[in-house]
Amino acid sequence: MTAMTSTQTPPAASLHTPVIGWFQQHARDLPWRRPEAGAWGVMVSEFMLQQTPVSRVLPVYEQWLARWPRPADLAAEAPGEAVRAWGRLGYPRRALRLHGAAQAITERHGGDVPSEHAQLLALPGIGEYTAAAVASFAYGQRHAVLDTNVRRVFARAASGVQYPPNATTAAERKLARALLPEEDERAARWAAATMELGALVCTARNEDCDRCPIASQCAWRLAGKPAHQGPPRKGQTYAGTDRQVRGRLLAVLRDSVSPVAQAALDAVWEEPVQRARALDGLVADGLVEPLADGRYRLPLT
């Protein structure tokens, strides 16, 4: 057998054992990975972890599951309560989508998170990634689970580039399927392991190749770590954006048990045009409900 050159993709089987073995030793003890989390705990974590670090998710996740241990518990509440409990996790439309998914699970599946990928995908607010993640992590099924961390690991180890494209491509999906182990349980373990490897070792910046279990096979490292050739990767800004204004407006509404007057919302942001645009956006997204008397509240329906 010839040695792999820097332009060759390492064979899938040679990656599985070291990555899964590394995960066995180094995986973080996270509540949604414990058996008692169940499929609902996995689903809640997947909604919360989108674009949000684990450290911020942990306390909200624990409070959420203590209050709503089953989908039916959440479905019985007003959607505004989901937004309130979401706190400062950001991207609060996720709270509404999770509430909608809980309602659908209660109505269509007797309150149990479905195990079939197609049924998961049919739930409101659930896309290909979340459906695959729940099917894989909760039910041990064989699916390609492609989050940002996994895509970065595959880009480097298999494709020899520093970063994946900005949006998931058909080529990435094909590669992910090709790299999946054949056995369901091992494929589910692989999905979790590659995600953890990207989160802890093969990070976006300051990757730690000395700790990587597949460094000797990594196409990007063997090629000399060529610099990213695509469009500049811009970090997300927050200060002064409509997102910041929306967050401040929602914070006022979350902290109040009764409808809020316009003046209370006006006080959180000085610039009136941006403030009005942000408030209009919250209303359009269903996160805020305007009342006939000019006050606002979190949605009840």
Side-chain angles (χ1 to χ4, degrees), residues 39-40 42-44 46-47 50 71 93-94 96-105 108-109 112-135 139:
W40 174 238
V42 171
M43 179 176 285
V44 170
E46 289 300 332
F47 272 79
Q50 294 167 21
R93 277 177 288 184
R94 293 179 292 169
L96 290 183
R97 291 172 183 149
L98 184 51
H99 184 272
Q103 288 183 317
I105 290 167
R108 303 175 194 171
H109 303 288
D112 294 322
V113 177
S115 60
E116 292 185 21
H117 181 268
Q119 292 179 326
L120 287 165
L121 198 55
L123 295 173
I126 291 192
E128 174 59 37
Y129 164 76
T130 304
V134 173
Y139 294 112

Short mmCIF file of all heavy atoms in Angstrom, two decimals, residues 39-40 42-44 46-47 50 71 93-94 96-105 108-109 112-135 139:
data_model
loop_
_atom_site.label_atom_id
_atom_site.label_comp_id
_atom_site.label_asym_id
_atom_site.label_seq_id
_atom_site.Cartn_x
_atom_site.Cartn_y
_atom_site.Cartn_z
N ALA A 39 -34.79 11.90 24.19
CA ALA A 39 -34.84 12.58 22.89
C ALA A 39 -35.24 14.05 23.04
O ALA A 39 -34.77 14.91 22.30
CB ALA A 39 -35.81 11.85 21.96
N TRP A 40 -36.12 14.34 24.00
CA TRP A 40 -36.54 15.73 24.20
C TRP A 40 -35.37 16.58 24.69
O TRP A 40 -35.15 17.69 24.22
CB TRP A 40 -37.71 15.78 25.18
CG TRP A 40 -38.16 17.15 25.60
CD1 TRP A 40 -38.21 17.64 26.88
CD2 TRP A 40 -38.64 18.22 24.76
NE1 TRP A 40 -38.69 18.93 26.90
CE2 TRP A 40 -38.96 19.31 25.60
CE3 TRP A 40 -38.81 18.34 23.39
CZ2 TRP A 40 -39.46 20.52 25.10
CZ3 TRP A 40 -39.30 19.55 22.89
CH2 TRP A 40 -39.62 20.61 23.73
N VAL A 42 -32.23 16.03 24.09
CA VAL A 42 -31.35 16.21 22.93
C VAL A 42 -31.88 17.30 22.02
O VAL A 42 -31.14 18.18 21.55
CB VAL A 42 -31.18 14.88 22.17
CG1 VAL A 42 -30.45 15.11 20.84
CG2 VAL A 42 -30.43 13.87 23.01
N MET A 43 -33.19 17.27 21.75
CA MET A 43 -33.78 18.26 20.86
C MET A 43 -33.64 19.67 21.43
O MET A 43 -33.26 20.61 20.71
CB MET A 43 -35.25 17.94 20.59
CG MET A 43 -35.93 18.97 19.70
SD MET A 43 -37.65 18.55 19.29
CE MET A 43 -37.37 17.24 18.09
N VAL A 44 -33.93 19.84 22.70
CA VAL A 44 -33.80 21.16 23.33
C VAL A 44 -32.36 21.66 23.21
O VAL A 44 -32.11 22.82 22.86
CB VAL A 44 -34.23 21.10 24.81
CG1 VAL A 44 -33.88 22.39 25.54
CG2 VAL A 44 -35.74 20.83 24.92
N GLU A 46 -30.13 20.91 20.98
CA GLU A 46 -29.79 21.24 19.60
C GLU A 46 -30.34 22.60 19.20
O GLU A 46 -29.68 23.36 18.49
CB GLU A 46 -30.28 20.15 18.64
CG GLU A 46 -29.50 18.85 18.73
CD GLU A 46 -28.02 19.03 18.42
OE1 GLU A 46 -27.67 19.95 17.66
OE2 GLU A 46 -27.21 18.27 18.95
N PHE A 47 -31.53 22.94 19.64
CA PHE A 47 -32.08 24.27 19.38
C PHE A 47 -31.23 25.33 20.07
O PHE A 47 -30.90 26.37 19.48
CB PHE A 47 -33.53 24.36 19.87
CG PHE A 47 -34.55 23.94 18.85
CD1 PHE A 47 -34.82 22.60 18.62
CD2 PHE A 47 -35.27 24.89 18.15
CE1 PHE A 47 -35.78 22.20 17.69
CE2 PHE A 47 -36.22 24.52 17.20
CZ PHE A 47 -36.48 23.17 16.98
N GLN A 50 -27.42 26.20 18.68
CA GLN A 50 -27.21 26.83 17.38
C GLN A 50 -26.68 28.24 17.60
O GLN A 50 -27.35 29.10 18.16
CB GLN A 50 -28.52 26.86 16.59
CG GLN A 50 -29.04 25.50 16.19
CD GLN A 50 -30.48 25.54 15.71
OE1 GLN A 50 -30.98 26.58 15.30
NE2 GLN A 50 -31.16 24.41 15.76
N PRO A 71 -42.30 17.47 26.00
CA PRO A 71 -42.83 18.42 25.02
C PRO A 71 -44.22 18.94 25.38
O PRO A 71 -44.52 20.13 25.19
CB PRO A 71 -42.86 17.61 23.72
CG PRO A 71 -41.80 16.58 23.89
CD PRO A 71 -41.81 16.24 25.34
N ARG A 93 -36.02 33.66 18.08
CA ARG A 93 -36.99 32.95 17.26
C ARG A 93 -36.85 31.44 17.43
O ARG A 93 -37.79 30.68 17.20
CB ARG A 93 -36.82 33.33 15.78
CG ARG A 93 -37.53 34.62 15.39
CD ARG A 93 -37.28 35.00 13.96
NE ARG A 93 -35.92 35.47 13.76
CZ ARG A 93 -35.44 35.94 12.61
NH1 ARG A 93 -36.23 35.97 11.55
NH2 ARG A 93 -34.20 36.37 12.51
N ARG A 94 -35.68 31.01 17.87
CA ARG A 94 -35.49 29.59 18.16
C ARG A 94 -36.46 29.12 19.25
O ARG A 94 -36.91 27.98 19.24
CB ARG A 94 -34.04 29.31 18.59
CG ARG A 94 -33.02 29.51 17.48
CD ARG A 94 -31.62 29.24 17.98
NE ARG A 94 -31.18 30.24 18.95
CZ ARG A 94 -30.08 30.13 19.70
NH1 ARG A 94 -29.33 29.04 19.60
NH2 ARG A 94 -29.72 31.08 20.53
N LEU A 96 -39.50 30.26 19.82
CA LEU A 96 -40.81 30.07 19.20
C LEU A 96 -40.84 28.79 18.37
O LEU A 96 -41.84 28.06 18.36
CB LEU A 96 -41.16 31.27 18.32
CG LEU A 96 -41.48 32.59 19.03
CD1 LEU A 96 -41.87 33.64 18.00
CD2 LEU A 96 -42.58 32.41 20.05
N ARG A 97 -39.77 28.52 17.66
CA ARG A 97 -39.72 27.30 16.84
C ARG A 97 -39.74 26.05 17.71
O ARG A 97 -40.40 25.06 17.37
CB ARG A 97 -38.46 27.32 15.96
CG ARG A 97 -38.51 28.39 14.88
CD ARG A 97 -37.19 28.50 14.17
NE ARG A 97 -37.20 29.56 13.18
CZ ARG A 97 -36.13 30.29 12.84
NH1 ARG A 97 -34.97 30.05 13.43
NH2 ARG A 97 -36.22 31.26 11.94
N LEU A 98 -39.04 26.10 18.83
CA LEU A 98 -39.05 24.95 19.73
C LEU A 98 -40.44 24.76 20.34
O LEU A 98 -40.91 23.63 20.49
CB LEU A 98 -37.99 25.15 20.83
CG LEU A 98 -37.79 24.02 21.82
CD1 LEU A 98 -37.57 22.69 21.11
CD2 LEU A 98 -36.60 24.33 22.74
N HIS A 99 -41.10 25.86 20.67
CA HIS A 99 -42.47 25.76 21.18
C HIS A 99 -43.39 25.16 20.12
O HIS A 99 -44.22 24.30 20.42
CB HIS A 99 -42.95 27.16 21.59
CG HIS A 99 -44.32 27.17 22.20
ND1 HIS A 99 -45.47 27.28 21.46
CD2 HIS A 99 -44.73 27.07 23.49
CE1 HIS A 99 -46.52 27.25 22.26
NE2 HIS A 99 -46.10 27.12 23.50
N GLY A 100 -43.24 25.60 18.87
CA GLY A 100 -44.05 25.05 17.79
C GLY A 100 -43.79 23.57 17.58
O GLY A 100 -44.71 22.78 17.33
N ALA A 101 -42.53 23.17 17.69
CA ALA A 101 -42.18 21.75 17.55
C ALA A 101 -42.81 20.94 18.69
O ALA A 101 -43.32 19.83 18.47
CB ALA A 101 -40.68 21.57 17.54
N ALA A 102 -42.80 21.49 19.90
CA ALA A 102 -43.39 20.80 21.05
C ALA A 102 -44.89 20.61 20.85
O ALA A 102 -45.44 19.55 21.17
CB ALA A 102 -43.12 21.58 22.33
N GLN A 103 -45.55 21.62 20.30
CA GLN A 103 -46.99 21.50 20.03
C GLN A 103 -47.25 20.40 18.99
O GLN A 103 -48.17 19.58 19.15
CB GLN A 103 -47.54 22.83 19.54
CG GLN A 103 -47.64 23.89 20.62
CD GLN A 103 -48.25 25.17 20.09
OE1 GLN A 103 -47.91 25.63 18.99
NE2 GLN A 103 -49.15 25.78 20.86
N ALA A 104 -46.45 20.38 17.94
CA ALA A 104 -46.63 19.37 16.90
C ALA A 104 -46.35 17.97 17.42
O ALA A 104 -47.05 17.01 17.08
CB ALA A 104 -45.73 19.69 15.71
N ILE A 105 -45.33 17.83 18.25
CA ILE A 105 -45.01 16.52 18.84
C ILE A 105 -46.18 16.04 19.71
O ILE A 105 -46.55 14.87 19.69
CB ILE A 105 -43.72 16.62 19.68
CG1 ILE A 105 -42.51 16.81 18.75
CG2 ILE A 105 -43.53 15.37 20.54
CD1 ILE A 105 -41.25 17.22 19.48
N ARG A 108 -49.24 15.34 17.12
CA ARG A 108 -49.07 14.32 16.09
C ARG A 108 -48.50 13.01 16.61
O ARG A 108 -48.71 11.95 16.02
CB ARG A 108 -48.13 14.82 14.98
CG ARG A 108 -48.57 16.10 14.30
CD ARG A 108 -47.49 16.53 13.32
NE ARG A 108 -47.66 17.91 12.86
CZ ARG A 108 -46.75 18.55 12.14
NH1 ARG A 108 -45.63 17.95 11.77
NH2 ARG A 108 -46.96 19.81 11.77
N HIS A 109 -47.71 13.08 17.70
CA HIS A 109 -46.94 11.91 18.11
C HIS A 109 -47.17 11.54 19.57
O HIS A 109 -46.32 10.86 20.18
CB HIS A 109 -45.45 12.16 17.86
CG HIS A 109 -45.13 12.50 16.44
ND1 HIS A 109 -45.17 11.56 15.43
CD2 HIS A 109 -44.80 13.68 15.85
CE1 HIS A 109 -44.85 12.15 14.27
NE2 HIS A 109 -44.64 13.43 14.50
N ASP A 112 -44.34 12.20 22.34
CA ASP A 112 -43.01 11.60 22.27
C ASP A 112 -42.28 12.10 21.02
O ASP A 112 -42.85 12.07 19.92
CB ASP A 112 -43.10 10.07 22.22
CG ASP A 112 -43.65 9.49 23.51
OD1 ASP A 112 -43.30 10.02 24.59
OD2 ASP A 112 -44.43 8.52 23.44
N VAL A 113 -41.05 12.52 21.18
CA VAL A 113 -40.26 12.96 20.03
C VAL A 113 -40.12 11.80 19.06
O VAL A 113 -39.66 10.71 19.44
CB VAL A 113 -38.86 13.43 20.48
CG1 VAL A 113 -38.00 13.81 19.27
CG2 VAL A 113 -38.98 14.63 21.43
N PRO A 114 -40.54 11.96 17.80
CA PRO A 114 -40.48 10.83 16.86
C PRO A 114 -39.05 10.41 16.58
O PRO A 114 -38.12 11.21 16.65
CB PRO A 114 -41.16 11.39 15.61
CG PRO A 114 -40.99 12.88 15.70
CD PRO A 114 -41.06 13.19 17.18
N SER A 115 -38.90 9.14 16.24
CA SER A 115 -37.56 8.61 15.97
C SER A 115 -37.23 8.61 14.48
O SER A 115 -36.05 8.55 14.11
CB SER A 115 -37.42 7.20 16.53
OG SER A 115 -38.39 6.34 15.94
N GLU A 116 -38.24 8.66 13.64
CA GLU A 116 -37.98 8.61 12.20
C GLU A 116 -37.51 9.96 11.69
O GLU A 116 -38.10 11.00 12.00
CB GLU A 116 -39.25 8.17 11.45
CG GLU A 116 -39.66 6.74 11.71
CD GLU A 116 -40.85 6.32 10.87
OE1 GLU A 116 -41.08 6.98 9.82
OE2 GLU A 116 -41.54 5.36 11.24
N HIS A 117 -36.47 9.92 10.88
CA HIS A 117 -35.89 11.15 10.35
C HIS A 117 -36.92 11.99 9.60
O HIS A 117 -37.00 13.21 9.77
CB HIS A 117 -34.71 10.80 9.44
CG HIS A 117 -34.00 11.99 8.86
ND1 HIS A 117 -34.35 12.54 7.63
CD2 HIS A 117 -32.98 12.74 9.33
CE1 HIS A 117 -33.56 13.56 7.38
NE2 HIS A 117 -32.73 13.71 8.39
N ALA A 118 -37.74 11.35 8.78
CA ALA A 118 -38.74 12.08 7.99
C ALA A 118 -39.76 12.76 8.89
O ALA A 118 -40.21 13.88 8.61
CB ALA A 118 -39.44 11.14 7.02
N GLN A 119 -40.15 12.10 9.98
CA GLN A 119 -41.11 12.71 10.91
C GLN A 119 -40.47 13.87 11.66
O GLN A 119 -41.13 14.88 11.91
CB GLN A 119 -41.61 11.65 11.89
CG GLN A 119 -42.50 10.58 11.25
CD GLN A 119 -42.96 9.55 12.25
OE1 GLN A 119 -42.24 9.20 13.19
NE2 GLN A 119 -44.17 9.04 12.06
N LEU A 120 -39.23 13.74 12.01
CA LEU A 120 -38.52 14.85 12.66
C LEU A 120 -38.43 16.04 11.71
O LEU A 120 -38.68 17.19 12.10
CB LEU A 120 -37.11 14.41 13.06
CG LEU A 120 -37.03 13.45 14.26
CD1 LEU A 120 -35.66 12.80 14.33
CD2 LEU A 120 -37.33 14.20 15.56
N LEU A 121 -38.10 15.77 10.46
CA LEU A 121 -37.94 16.83 9.48
C LEU A 121 -39.27 17.54 9.21
O LEU A 121 -39.29 18.72 8.83
CB LEU A 121 -37.37 16.25 8.19
CG LEU A 121 -36.73 17.21 7.18
CD1 LEU A 121 -35.62 18.02 7.83
CD2 LEU A 121 -36.17 16.42 6.01
N ALA A 122 -40.37 16.85 9.41
CA ALA A 122 -41.70 17.43 9.17
C ALA A 122 -42.16 18.34 10.31
O ALA A 122 -43.15 19.06 10.16
CB ALA A 122 -42.72 16.33 8.95
N LEU A 123 -41.48 18.32 11.44
CA LEU A 123 -41.86 19.18 12.56
C LEU A 123 -41.52 20.63 12.24
O LEU A 123 -40.51 20.91 11.59
CB LEU A 123 -41.11 18.76 13.83
CG LEU A 123 -41.44 17.38 14.40
CD1 LEU A 123 -40.51 17.05 15.55
CD2 LEU A 123 -42.89 17.31 14.85
N PRO A 124 -42.34 21.58 12.68
CA PRO A 124 -42.04 22.99 12.41
C PRO A 124 -40.74 23.41 13.10
O PRO A 124 -40.45 22.99 14.22
CB PRO A 124 -43.24 23.73 13.00
CG PRO A 124 -43.83 22.79 14.00
CD PRO A 124 -43.58 21.41 13.46
N GLY A 125 -39.96 24.21 12.39
CA GLY A 125 -38.73 24.74 12.97
C GLY A 125 -37.55 23.80 12.95
O GLY A 125 -36.49 24.14 13.48
N ILE A 126 -37.71 22.62 12.34
CA ILE A 126 -36.61 21.65 12.32
C ILE A 126 -36.13 21.46 10.89
O ILE A 126 -36.91 21.12 10.00
CB ILE A 126 -37.06 20.31 12.93
CG1 ILE A 126 -37.27 20.48 14.42
CG2 ILE A 126 -36.04 19.21 12.63
CD1 ILE A 126 -37.42 19.21 15.19
N GLY A 127 -34.85 21.69 10.69
CA GLY A 127 -34.24 21.51 9.38
C GLY A 127 -33.45 20.23 9.32
O GLY A 127 -33.47 19.41 10.24
N GLU A 128 -32.71 20.07 8.24
CA GLU A 128 -31.96 18.84 7.99
C GLU A 128 -30.97 18.56 9.11
O GLU A 128 -30.86 17.43 9.58
CB GLU A 128 -31.24 18.94 6.65
CG GLU A 128 -30.30 17.78 6.36
CD GLU A 128 -31.00 16.44 6.35
OE1 GLU A 128 -32.16 16.37 5.88
OE2 GLU A 128 -30.41 15.45 6.85
N TYR A 129 -30.23 19.59 9.55
CA TYR A 129 -29.23 19.36 10.59
C TYR A 129 -29.88 18.85 11.88
O TYR A 129 -29.45 17.84 12.45
CB TYR A 129 -28.42 20.62 10.90
CG TYR A 129 -27.69 20.47 12.20
CD1 TYR A 129 -26.54 19.68 12.27
CD2 TYR A 129 -28.19 21.00 13.39
CE1 TYR A 129 -25.91 19.45 13.48
CE2 TYR A 129 -27.57 20.77 14.60
CZ TYR A 129 -26.42 19.99 14.64
OH TYR A 129 -25.81 19.75 15.84
N THR A 130 -30.90 19.55 12.38
CA THR A 130 -31.50 19.18 13.66
C THR A 130 -32.16 17.81 13.59
O THR A 130 -32.05 17.01 14.52
CB THR A 130 -32.53 20.24 14.10
OG1 THR A 130 -31.90 21.52 14.14
CG2 THR A 130 -33.09 19.93 15.48
N ALA A 131 -32.82 17.51 12.48
CA ALA A 131 -33.44 16.19 12.32
C ALA A 131 -32.38 15.10 12.38
O ALA A 131 -32.55 14.08 13.06
CB ALA A 131 -34.20 16.13 11.01
N ALA A 132 -31.27 15.30 11.68
CA ALA A 132 -30.20 14.31 11.68
C ALA A 132 -29.56 14.18 13.06
O ALA A 132 -29.25 13.08 13.51
CB ALA A 132 -29.14 14.68 10.65
N ALA A 133 -29.37 15.32 13.74
CA ALA A 133 -28.74 15.31 15.07
C ALA A 133 -29.60 14.56 16.08
O ALA A 133 -29.09 13.74 16.86
CB ALA A 133 -28.48 16.74 15.53
N VAL A 134 -30.91 14.82 16.09
CA VAL A 134 -31.78 14.15 17.05
C VAL A 134 -31.86 12.65 16.73
O VAL A 134 -31.78 11.81 17.64
CB VAL A 134 -33.19 14.79 17.05
CG1 VAL A 134 -34.15 13.98 17.91
CG2 VAL A 134 -33.11 16.23 17.54
N ALA A 135 -32.01 12.31 15.46
CA ALA A 135 -32.07 10.90 15.08
C ALA A 135 -30.78 10.17 15.46
O ALA A 135 -30.80 9.02 15.91
CB ALA A 135 -32.34 10.77 13.59
N TYR A 139 -31.37 8.57 19.10
CA TYR A 139 -31.84 7.24 18.72
C TYR A 139 -30.75 6.36 18.10
O TYR A 139 -31.04 5.24 17.66
CB TYR A 139 -33.02 7.37 17.75
CG TYR A 139 -34.24 7.99 18.41
CD1 TYR A 139 -34.70 9.25 18.04
CD2 TYR A 139 -34.92 7.31 19.42
CE1 TYR A 139 -35.82 9.80 18.64
CE2 TYR A 139 -36.03 7.86 20.04
CZ TYR A 139 -36.48 9.11 19.64
OH TYR A 139 -37.58 9.66 20.26
#
